[in-house]
Amino acid sequence: MNAPSPQPPAVRTTCPYCGVGCGVLAQPDGYGGAVVAGDPHHPANFGRICSKGSALGETLGLDQRVLHPMLRQFDGSLARVDWSVALDRVADGFQRVIKRDGPDAVAFYLSGQLLTEDYYVANKLMKGFIGSGNVDTNSRLCMASSVAGHKRAFGADTVPGSYEDLDAADLIVLVGSNAAWCHPVLFQRMVKNRRERGARIVVIDPRRTATAEDADLFLPIAPGKDTALFCGLLVHLANLCALDYRYIDAHTDGFENALARARAIAPDLAATARLAGLPPADVARFFELFHTIPNAVTCFSQGVNQSSQGTDKVNAIINCHLATGRIGRRGQGPFSLTGQPNAMGGREVGGLANQLAAHMGFTADDIDRVGRFWQAPRVATREGLKAVQLFDAIARGKIKALWVMATNPAVSLPRARQVREALGRLDLFVVSDNVAANDTVAAGAHVLLPAAAWGEKDGTVTNSERRISRQRAFLPPPGEAKPDWWMVTQVARRMGFAPAFPYRSAADIFREHAALSSFENGGRRAFDLGGLADIGDDAFAALDPVQWPLPAGEPRHARQPDHRFFAEGGFYTQDRKARFIAPDPPAPSAPAGKDFPFRLNTGRVRDQWHTMTRSGLSPRLGAHAPEPFVEVHPADAKAKNLVDGAFAQVTTRWGSCVLKVSVSAAQRRGSLFVPIHWSDATASAARIGDLVMPETDRYSGQPDAKATPAAIAPVTFAFRGFALTRRPLALPDGTWWARVALAQATGLLLASNDGPATWRERAHAMFGDDAELAELSDDRRGAYRAAAFIAGRLEGCLFIGPAATAPQWDAVKALFETGMLNEAARRVLLSGRSADGLASAGPIVCACFGVGLTAIRDAIQTGAAISVEGIGAALRAGTNCGSCLPELKRIVADVAGTAPAGTGSARMIAS
Ligand code: SF4
């Protein structure tokens, strides 16, 4: 008898979601899936992962994958072809356009989801061999303003500090950062510091987010006024003589000018408070904390970056740290929290249109240096087009061939509808991705290339603290999927550049990338991986997470006394001094127009990522916020006749969406908040990119996604319900729907003005002629329920009822998973009640243990739990990854009546 084969060891790899860059251990289950846990030895997370990381194992299925190269046919369909045919088509197509219209008529649009090696090869082909700067990336939407701010102040795009500084800081200021949801593991590190060391946390955000639950001070700043607040802080510190003049004199330039500008913008505390829309006492408290606590780290994220004045906001923050010498020291410094898993790797490679390669720009020296290193015949000599300009150029017919890798611009870019239309005008439109059908593919991709996904790819990523970690494969690529670097290499060879693209592995590429970073560096560039340029294949395979600057000793070229930058100056400008930047005054708030009186703010929810192509596959994650929603302040809701849980149409100059209404005092008056995740693939009318204005920051080119003028009006649906189905379902026109991943089916939450009779007529067509229907109709109550069986197996069901008493799906979901139902179970199913008579759990708060809002409220109200810890003991909620702890805190305060007025458990959107 054969002994059972031993379980293979877990593979050390890196989470593919946010810029925290947590190390994870993936244990393949032998059936194409894996169990994923935190890596206790990874310095970014020491074993902790958040709800998204915990659910990675649920996202590895192949249902949505593209498995073979596909070409668009004359009839509009996509048909499978051989790799050689697809690659020839890409190479020939690019060459034809370049020959006819020049190199600037082609472009690549890349992604912070790519590995560094993918990025490197794509950037090299376009900027070195095609000879255009037209490589940009979705990181432009995420942190381009931080890049521009760093370069203006430091002379290089260098994050000075490390995550350890968040453990050692005595004051942590979070500006425009909902870290509790967007960087959860890092945020839990901050909370631990607060709990164990007494660090103070200040949260500055127009919206009272989950992050504010753990704040000692919350400043609900007026949108766009961060520059005024930090100018006021600089003035305040200068007036108190609380600046580090030794540091200013020795290591900086431009202080007087910046201070004069700060005085002009925010001359005193009262003016600062007025400009920032904050109570003077709160501003005074923040200034006092910053003045008296030297160990201060200021973290900033999309709320700062995604602004038409984002770069100035970044520099206003950096100015305060330079002026106090609080930079590059333990527990001190400005800290950009990066959104994506490898946005930093993309920046290192040069994947933004205004970078050339390896932290070099478009100076004559850098162009010459990179050209000699690559032995490239026609290095691009000027910056390419940044994302919004790039898609404008496509719309104008200036760019005729585009390759989109690992991103979904038809959803995520501002004016997404126009982007989608522009894509339809391309002569050659190539997409390499994991998924067979997203909005970008649907925009008319001519060539669809199957890319290896997380778990199949091999290479490196860099996180927010400059730490390079390995992403390792633990599953074989399905079908004919290949890494992106392989596809680009094959195309480059076909275009005649074979000698410069000899790569056989990610390790080959990494070595070249590291060598370029140190080529003629001589300490002129912060980014230098020279110590890894000769790394062998085995050492690359085993590479531990490593932060740059590389540790002294082993690898060569290490120059920093520790792993931080700038404690003793040494900036990457000509004179090695930092630059204070005099920011522009914050633009005055535009008067509320009659047509669009609100400001639309966009963001994320805790358990989804980008356009949900991966996180949307997880039933656990889908249960937290299952529907697209708009958050509205109670006074605005009242004025506009909006009802919590009902629907509203949000309209801007560029488009409209229909979303569920969430009334919350966490929202600022006059502002609307919408999450960005839904697309045409996952909801009927919730592609938020359609609404966002194309205004960009003039230094970084980053779009302002936080302040689009908008209008809101109620939308009435007389009936609501849901469908569960194991096969695609054609819904009647006019139905509002949102797709939710379930364990054994797809869930669709529905709203409609069609009554039961209409749904009854359509049910057979929806489920197919081969389905046997069990039905329950009650025209008097306005209810219709159907269960569809094929060969005795439950294949789908449909529940429709009056909107005021919408049917709940928890009990039906549970029965659906069993598949085969006897007569009694069919009756229970159509009753919509749980077989054990238990009430619905309500929307899920704790994704790890599936604990719902109703159960938590019940526990508090019955006295079974009166604190967050008590809820953990009674229900286990919050005892695993900790991502839901801020919400538990808010629910406890809400039920106890101690929450700030009206905030309540505001996000909870009942399904
Ligand atoms: S915080 Fe969560 S999403 Fe971000 S890297 Fe860690 S596990 Fe992944």
Side-chain angles (χ1 to χ4, degrees):
M1 208 169 113
N2 289 338
S5 48
Q7 201 174 36
V11 174
R12 291 183 75 193
T13 183
T14 312
C15 174
Y17 289 120
C18 82
V20 178
C22 295
V24 298
L25 299 172
Q27 177 73 63
D29 61 11
Y31 300 97
V35 175
V36 177
D39 178 354
H41 301 296
H42 197 290
N45 57 316
F46 299 106
R48 197 180 257 282
I49 47 177
C50 74
S51 49
K52 290 189 284 286
S54 309
L56 274 165
E58 295 180 12
T59 67
L60 299 171
L62 301 182
D63 289 356
Q64 319 267 333
R65 291 290 297 272
V66 54
L67 300 175
H68 306 283
M70 313 282 276
L71 283 190
R72 183 83 55 189
Q73 308 297 299
F74 285 119
D75 66 1
S77 65
L78 283 165
R80 178 178 171 176
V81 294
D82 290 342
W83 262 115
S84 59
V85 173
L87 293 167
D88 284 347
R89 174 77 187 277
V90 176
D92 293 349
F94 271 102
Q95 278 178 310
R96 200 167 41 248
V97 172
I98 292 164
K99 194 165 171 209
R100 189 187 64 201
D101 302 303
D104 288 332
V106 301
F108 292 164
Y109 188 63
L110 312 181
S111 162
Q113 306 285 307
L114 289 172
L115 303 187
T116 297
E117 293 71 19
D118 302 320
Y119 251 126
Y120 179 86
V121 178
N123 191 55
K124 180 178 176 181
L125 173 59
M126 182 59 78
K127 290 185 184 150
F129 289 81
I130 291 176
S132 169
N134 286 342
V135 176
D136 212 38
T137 152
N138 62 8
S139 299
R140 180 72 57 194
L141 316 181
C142 172
M143 42 87 246
S145 295
S146 286
V147 175
H150 288 157
K151 287 183 78 170
R152 289 205 300 180
F154 308 148
D157 175 24
T158 303
V159 174
S162 293
Y163 291 166
E164 285 169 10
D165 296 319
L166 300 168
D167 305 330
D170 299 312
L171 173 66
I172 299 169
V173 183
L174 287 148
V175 195
S177 169
N178 185 7
W181 281 14
C182 301
H183 299 93
V185 166
L186 213 48
F187 183 66
Q188 289 305 321
R189 258 174 104 152
M190 300 177 206
V191 171
K192 182 167 182 270
N193 180 1
R194 179 176 183 251
R195 192 172 58 239
E196 295 179 358
R197 293 184 58 257
R200 308 295 185 85
I201 295 179
V202 176
V203 173
I204 301 168
D205 199 307
R207 202 164 59 97
R208 190 179 181 92
T209 63
T211 305
E213 296 307 313
D214 281 290
D216 296 278
L217 175 64
F218 169 57
L219 299 178
I221 192 167
K225 303 303 181 196
D226 312 77
T227 299
L229 184 64
F230 282 88
C231 282
L233 176 61
L234 185 65
V235 170
H236 182 78
L237 296 170
N239 291 348
L240 293 175
C241 294
L243 302 181
D244 184 340
Y245 289 100
R246 186 201 68 81
Y247 191 92
I248 293 171
D249 289 345
H251 302 306
T252 72
D253 189 37
F255 170 70
E256 296 301 337
N257 199 22
L259 180 60
R261 179 66 59 80
R263 285 194 193 286
I265 291 172
D268 54 33
L269 195 147
T272 306
R274 199 169 51 249
L275 279 166
L278 294 167
D282 286 353
V283 174
R285 184 150 174 244
F286 169 50
F287 286 3
E288 181 65 8
L289 286 169
F290 201 94
H291 170 210
T292 55
I293 302 180
N295 262 1
V297 175
T298 306
C299 302
F300 48 95
S301 195
Q302 268 79 335
V304 166
N305 293 328
Q306 291 179 333
S307 160
S308 58
Q309 294 184 300
T311 307
D312 276 351
K313 290 180 183 179
V314 169
N315 285 113
I317 292 168
I318 291 174
N319 283 351
C320 291
H321 280 271
L322 289 174
T324 51
R326 297 175 188 175
I327 186 165
R329 302 199 170 105
R330 191 167 178 272
Q332 301 182 8
F335 207 132
S336 152
L337 300 182
T338 315
Q340 299 195 74
N342 199 30
M344 289 286 275
R347 286 150 70 169
E348 291 163 0
V349 161
L352 290 160
N354 49 327
Q355 304 172 327
L356 178 54
H359 277 211
M360 287 178 271
F362 288 89
T363 64
D365 282 351
D366 284 348
I367 291 166
D368 173 62
R369 185 176 298 111
V370 173
R372 282 186 288 110
F373 181 87
W374 278 344
Q375 299 185 16
R378 57 180 79 83
V379 177
T381 54
R382 61 175 189 271
E383 294 182 5
L385 296 174
K386 301 182 180 104
V388 173
Q389 300 168 304
L390 193 150
F391 284 86
D392 280 350
I394 294 171
R396 292 198 314 274
K398 294 285 181 201
I399 289 178
K400 295 185 163 60
L402 175 74
W403 188 341
V404 174
M405 294 181 208
T407 184
N408 202 352
V411 177
S412 53
L413 274 165
R415 282 181 311 180
R417 189 166 53 80
Q418 280 93 328
V419 167
R420 199 174 154 121
E421 286 164 12
L423 291 171
R425 293 190 196 122
L426 286 162
D427 289 355
L428 175 64
F429 177 21
V430 182
V431 173
S432 49
D433 210 314
N434 313 147
V435 293
N438 62 20
D439 291 29
T440 298
V441 174
H446 302 125
V447 187
L448 177 57
L449 304 175
W454 182 78
E456 301 150 14
K457 300 206 282 193
D458 185 74
T460 58
V461 291
T462 307
N463 72 1
S464 295
E465 60 162 354
R466 295 171 273 101
R467 191 176 299 281
I468 297 169
S469 298
R470 292 278 280 106
Q471 254 196 33
R472 295 183 172 90
F474 56 88
L475 295 171
E480 296 180 275
K482 294 282 190 186
D484 290 271
W485 68 258
W486 180 89
M487 301 176 206
V488 181
T489 296
Q490 299 304 315
V491 169
R493 290 177 185 174
R494 281 166 164 77
M495 292 176 76
F497 310 126
F501 291 83
Y503 316 115
R504 293 162 295 112
S505 67
D508 284 347
I509 302 163
F510 182 82
R511 281 187 284 269
E512 185 178 308
H513 167 56
L516 174 58
S517 73
S518 73
F519 183 61
E520 298 177 359
N521 188 326
R524 281 187 290 270
R525 305 189 299 273
F527 178 61
D528 184 347
L529 301 182
L532 295 168
D534 301 325
I535 190 169
D537 287 355
D538 291 346
F540 181 74
L543 184 68
D544 280 329
V546 58
Q547 190 180 28
W548 60 267
L550 300 179
E554 291 168 36
R556 62 184 198 257
H557 298 308
R559 292 177 195 83
Q560 300 293 327
D562 69 8
H563 50 280
R564 299 181 180 88
F565 282 90
F566 310 138
E568 294 303 325
F571 294 91
Y572 292 91
T573 52
Q574 286 259 304
D575 58 8
R576 307 307 294 242
K577 289 188 171 186
R579 298 287 183 269
F580 279 95
I581 301 295
D584 288 343
S589 306
K594 195 164 71 53
D595 294 338
F596 300 111
F598 291 89
R599 289 290 173 273
L600 186 74
N601 177 10
T602 70
R604 303 172 183 191
V605 298
R606 190 191 76 192
D607 285 355
Q608 294 298 345
W609 178 255
H610 281 194
T611 60
M612 295 167 65
T613 47
R614 181 185 295 117
S615 58
L617 304 177
S618 161
R620 256 198 290 169
L621 298 182
H624 177 245
E627 291 154 301
F629 63 92
V630 53
E631 210 171 78
V632 193
H633 187 275
D636 291 331
K638 191 168 175 213
K640 293 287 170 187
N641 296 319
L642 300 168
V643 177
D644 190 57
F647 293 85
Q649 181 167 41
V650 179
T651 308
T652 71
R653 229 184 94 195
W654 292 275
S656 74
C657 291
V658 178
L659 308 164
K660 197 98 171 266
V661 173
S662 170
V663 177
S664 166
Q667 187 54 247
R668 203 182 161 84
R669 274 207 78 174
S671 280
L672 308 173
F673 172 79
V674 288
I676 59 170
H677 307 289
W678 282 268
S679 66
D680 277 5
T682 49
S684 54
R687 197 171 52 202
I688 299 304
D690 282 0
L691 308 180
V692 176
M693 62 184 176
E695 197 168 327
T696 58
D697 178 277
R698 69 183 165 123
Y699 303 104
S700 68
Q702 178 154 0
D704 189 327
K706 303 288 186 186
T708 305
I712 187 165
V715 171
T716 305
F717 290 111
F719 300 92
R720 286 177 46 196
F722 60 84
L724 306 179
T725 175
R726 299 185 208 278
R727 42 161 86 173
L729 209 61
L731 290 169
D733 289 346
T735 307
W736 183 96
W737 59 270
R739 195 178 84 193
V740 186
L742 303 177
Q744 306 281 338
T746 295
L748 294 163
L749 293 161
L750 307 173
S752 168
N753 283 318
D754 290 331
T758 313
W759 286 95
R760 189 166 52 235
E761 274 167 29
R762 291 173 182 160
H764 267 293
M766 283 173 61
F767 290 111
D769 291 339
D770 53 343
E772 169 211 346
L773 288 191
E775 296 174 283
L776 190 154
S777 273
D778 187 338
D779 286 349
R780 197 174 52 83
R781 290 210 174 98
Y784 173 71
R785 296 172 181 188
F789 297 86
I790 295 177
R793 183 171 188 254
L794 181 59
E795 288 293 322
C797 58
L798 173 68
F799 277 55
I800 296 291
T805 54
Q808 300 290 314
W809 69 359
D810 290 19
V812 182
K813 276 194 292 187
L815 279 168
F816 206 86
E817 285 173 23
T818 62
M820 303 301 284
L821 301 183
N822 60 26
E823 204 48 46
R826 289 183 183 200
R827 277 199 298 277
V828 172
L829 175 84
L830 288 179
S831 79
R833 292 196 197 93
S834 132
D836 55 13
L838 294 179
S840 159
I844 294 301
V845 177
C846 171
C848 295
F849 296 116
V851 184
L853 178 62
T854 309
I856 295 167
R857 280 199 171 135
D858 283 352
I860 302 168
Q861 277 159 349
T862 59
I866 54 168
S867 64
V868 170
E869 294 72 28
I871 293 168
L875 303 170
R876 298 176 75 199
T879 59
N880 187 36
C881 76
S883 300
C884 64
L885 288 172
E887 280 160 280
L888 294 179
K889 224 172 239 188
R890 189 177 283 186
I891 296 165
V892 169
D894 180 28
V895 178
T898 57
T903 52
S905 43
R907 184 221 46 81
M908 299 304 165
I909 307 296
S911 58

